[in-house]
Amino acid sequence: MNPKSLLKKICTKAIERIFGLEIDTIEIQKTKEEFEGDYTLVVFPLVKYLQQKPEQIASTIGNSLLEENEIIHTYNVVKGFLNITLQDKLFINFLNNNYSNPEFGIKKELGNKIMVEYSSPNTNKPIHLGHIRNNLLGYSISKILKAAGNEVITSQIINDRGIHICKSMLAWQKYGEGETPESSKLKGDHLVGKYYVIFDKEYQKQVNELVTKGYEKEEAKKKAPILLEAQEMLRKWEEGDTEIRELWHTMNHWVYQGFEMTYKQLGVSFDIIQYESNTYLLGKDIVEKGLEKGILLQKEDGSIWADLTEEGLDQKLLLRADGTSVYMTQDLGTAVERFAKYKLDQLIYTVGNEQDYHFQVLFLVLKKLGYTWADHMYHLSYGMVDLPSGKMKSREGTVVDADELMQEMIETAEQISIERGKLEEFTQEEKSKINESVGLGALKYYILKVDPKKRILFNPEESVEFNGNTGPFIQYTYARIQSILRKEQPQDTVNNDNKLNEVEKKLIIQLSYFPEAIEKSAHDLNPSIIANYVYEVVKEFNHLYQNYPILNSESIEQKHLRLELAQFTGQVIVLSLYLLGIESPNRM
């Protein structure tokens, strides 16, 4: 049991013994820097039960703790806060018991069965900067939820059908001259994305030509010949036209190969991949049954709607007049299928905040249709990612391509390593691996250290700094610890009669909070809690490293204690970075 949990248990029993008050939850905090103490019991909530002044309650509890428990060293009272200092031996015992545990803080028992959906790109363009935040969030949250003791299934649904897909296909058919990823030396997703851009340029050109001939702009947009051809292609696709379907399979295959390369470099993966072409009809039966039960309404043109006006929203189209489905229909169907097939306790959608309303409606419609598990669906909404103007090239001028961004981050890390001269004795293969770990670690950490709800201004140069709250700073601290441990390992356990200095004690306390950080991060679906936690750990360790010798400590006992601290810190860093999808190089 960590010191905070033990103190909480002792304080709860003391309150019951002294006041005859059984209380479920008491609040124990880390004592603020300006006060003396290790932990603080917040007394204010007890005032309403005991009708005494908070200072009086705190003093009574403090005196009792000091008399009854040998682990209490001293206490002081500041208003309604009881600041408690524990005996050093408690912290040394905790260190001895955990410094060599490579899975400290990770829960093994399985709790809920949770599906996390993320990525879910279109097959007509490459993965971009916005997708990077999506992938990193979804992947990290899946790891954190698993570490908190849940069974986790990761999934994505690929948008592989519709008019936008036909636009790329038609442009390739008209202008591609048989070009392939092999012949063009382009990744498959980049090649298909290129033809989506070509379609749009030709479409805009035709719209402008029609406008000059006297058409209204909106009419011209609908009557551009290339758009009509794409619509005809979609109609043929839906009818199962052999030639169109063959082209569709070929171009989608190119895209999937490209996506796989991006995912591999980004370090993310999926347990389940679904395709919209297989799921877009799933919701139709659900909607029609909802109509039969009188839960949904049908308009004169035959379209089916959900009326959400009583809930403060509007009416939402679920089936068009011609019987075709919309995105909402598909999402209804996939949700029902997933809960039935995988027996889920929770379903989490990692999607940008521009879709907040969509998910609000989805969850509400499912609830109206009688699916009680709709209360266990959650939209992990996140803000956009911006770049400082001119900081990063963009393939199309408007969207920052994920592959380009990752490559530039690796090249930036390489440039810094050359300037620092730290990798000269490494082989080229080792250098490349370290530069990739550092460059991508910088990108991932910079994005994940921010609360998902907040918009991010991603500064590539700032992210690869070796000082401050950055990925490379944390990775470098880990590599420094490994360098120490290569010279000497901790021996046996440290005698708990040793005395701790304030820096050693603060580091142990910070390390002990790791299980709590995982639980809070899982509960809030917020990886930034882990990111900022491990930064605090690293700061505390560097304070120790810079002010006290480790290998040349004043005594053998002191050396082994600090070696234990180094090993424990290294394990917490590597686990924290793992939960963020970041590698921890042993050498940098």
Side-chain angles (χ1 to χ4, degrees), residues 13-168:
K13 285 184 177 177
I15 291 165
E16 186 180 346
R17 185 179 67 248
I18 302 162
F19 304 109
L21 183 63
E22 288 189 38
I23 194 158
D24 292 333
T25 55
I26 60 169
E27 188 179 351
I28 303 277
Q29 303 173 343
K30 187 159 69 170
T31 302
K32 290 181 179 176
E33 291 287 333
E34 60 266 34
F35 301 117
E36 184 188 342
D38 302 321
Y39 299 101
T40 297
L41 170 64
V42 182
V43 176
F44 292 109
L46 302 176
V47 172
K48 64 179 178 180
Y49 299 108
L50 302 174
Q51 301 299 307
Q52 297 177 23
K53 289 183 178 178
E55 293 91 342
Q56 185 182 344
I57 298 169
S59 295
T60 304
I61 296 170
N63 284 328
S64 177
L65 289 176
L66 203 54
E67 289 170 11
E68 299 285 336
N69 291 278
E70 59 179 31
I71 69 162
I72 308 295
H73 176 62
T74 186
Y75 78 91
N76 66 84
V77 176
V78 180
K79 296 182 179 177
F81 300 97
L82 173 60
N83 302 320
I84 301 165
T85 303
L86 302 179
Q87 298 284 2
D88 286 354
K89 65 181 179 182
L90 191 68
F91 295 106
I92 293 172
N93 278 338
F94 175 75
L95 177 63
N96 281 333
N97 290 335
N98 292 286
Y99 82 92
S100 61
N101 177 7
E103 294 187 326
F104 171 70
I106 308 296
K107 279 189 183 174
K108 286 298 180 188
E109 66 272 17
L110 287 180
N112 290 328
K113 192 173 189 182
I114 303 172
M115 180 178 284
V116 181
E117 179 192 290
Y118 60 95
S119 195
S120 304
N122 295 331
T123 57
N124 60 330
K125 48 191 163 186
I127 291 168
H128 57 68
L129 178 57
H131 288 127
I132 285 184
R133 188 175 198 188
N134 182 303
N135 277 274
L136 296 181
L137 273 174
Y139 184 77
S140 179
I141 278 300
S142 71
K143 293 291 179 197
I144 290 164
L145 287 168
K146 191 171 181 183
N150 299 289
E151 183 181 352
V152 179
I153 303 168
T154 56
S155 71
Q156 69 162 326
I157 182 162
I158 296 178
N159 188 352
D160 66 339
R161 63 170 284 279
I163 188 67
H164 52 295
I165 307 301
C166 290
K167 288 175 180 178
S168 301

Side-chain angles (χ1 to χ4, degrees), residues 79 82 180 356 368 466 520 532 545 547 554 563 578:
K79 296 182 179 177
L82 173 60
T180 66
D356 283 354
K368 282 178 83 80
F466 273 72
K520 183 164 174 51
N532 290 291
Y545 179 83
N547 291 283
E554 41 283 30
L563 283 169
Y578 166 77

Side-chain angles (χ1 to χ4, degrees), residues 418-547:
I418 291 168
E419 289 166 10
R420 288 166 60 88
K422 296 281 188 181
L423 302 182
E424 288 169 2
E425 74 276 18
F426 292 91
T427 66
Q428 190 53 49
E429 187 181 347
E430 287 170 333
K431 286 179 187 176
S432 297
K433 184 155 178 48
I434 292 168
N435 289 330
E436 184 169 359
S437 294
V438 173
L440 296 183
L443 168 66
K444 293 175 181 183
Y445 186 83
Y446 200 95
I447 285 175
L448 290 173
K449 74 177 181 180
V450 179
D451 187 306
K453 293 180 180 65
K454 293 181 180 175
R455 197 169 183 132
I456 295 177
L457 180 67
F458 175 66
N459 187 321
E461 286 85 355
E462 193 178 286
S463 74
V464 289
E465 290 287 336
F466 273 72
N467 288 302
N469 192 5
T470 68
F473 175 59
I474 293 164
Q475 289 173 316
Y476 186 66
T477 301
Y478 177 76
R480 171 180 278 166
I481 288 169
Q482 299 318 299
S483 174
I484 294 166
L485 295 174
R486 278 193 293 274
K487 292 168 187 164
E488 190 166 350
Q489 292 280 321
Q491 304 292 320
D492 298 322
T493 54
V494 175
N495 190 319
N496 65 16
D497 290 332
N498 274 322
K499 292 297 172 195
L500 296 170
N501 64 45
E502 278 304 302
V503 177
E504 291 164 342
K505 191 200 283 187
K506 277 185 179 177
L507 179 53
I508 295 172
I509 290 172
Q510 189 63 37
L511 291 165
S512 75
Y513 282 133
F514 185 47
E516 200 173 303
I518 292 174
E519 280 192 25
K520 183 164 174 51
S521 184
H523 178 270
D524 295 357
L525 299 181
N526 184 354
S528 75
I529 292 168
I530 295 289
N532 290 291
Y533 163 79
V534 74
Y535 174 56
E536 292 301 321
V537 167
V538 163
K539 280 199 299 184
E540 292 292 353
F541 177 81
N542 279 301
H543 194 186
L544 175 73
Y545 179 83
Q546 287 156 11
N547 291 283

Side-chain angles (χ1 to χ4, degrees), residues 2 30 38 76 99 103 106 129 178 193 212 247 259 271 287 297 319 351 392 416-417 442 448 510 540 564 567 576 583:
N2 71 38
K30 187 159 69 170
D38 302 321
N76 66 84
Y99 82 92
E103 294 187 326
I106 308 296
L129 178 57
T212 58
L247 175 61
F259 282 173
D271 299 315
V287 171
L297 63 93
L319 275 181
V351 182
M392 189 74 55
I416 290 170
S417 73
L448 290 173
Q510 189 63 37
E540 292 292 353
E564 280 191 12
Q567 185 167 319
S576 297
E583 292 181 349

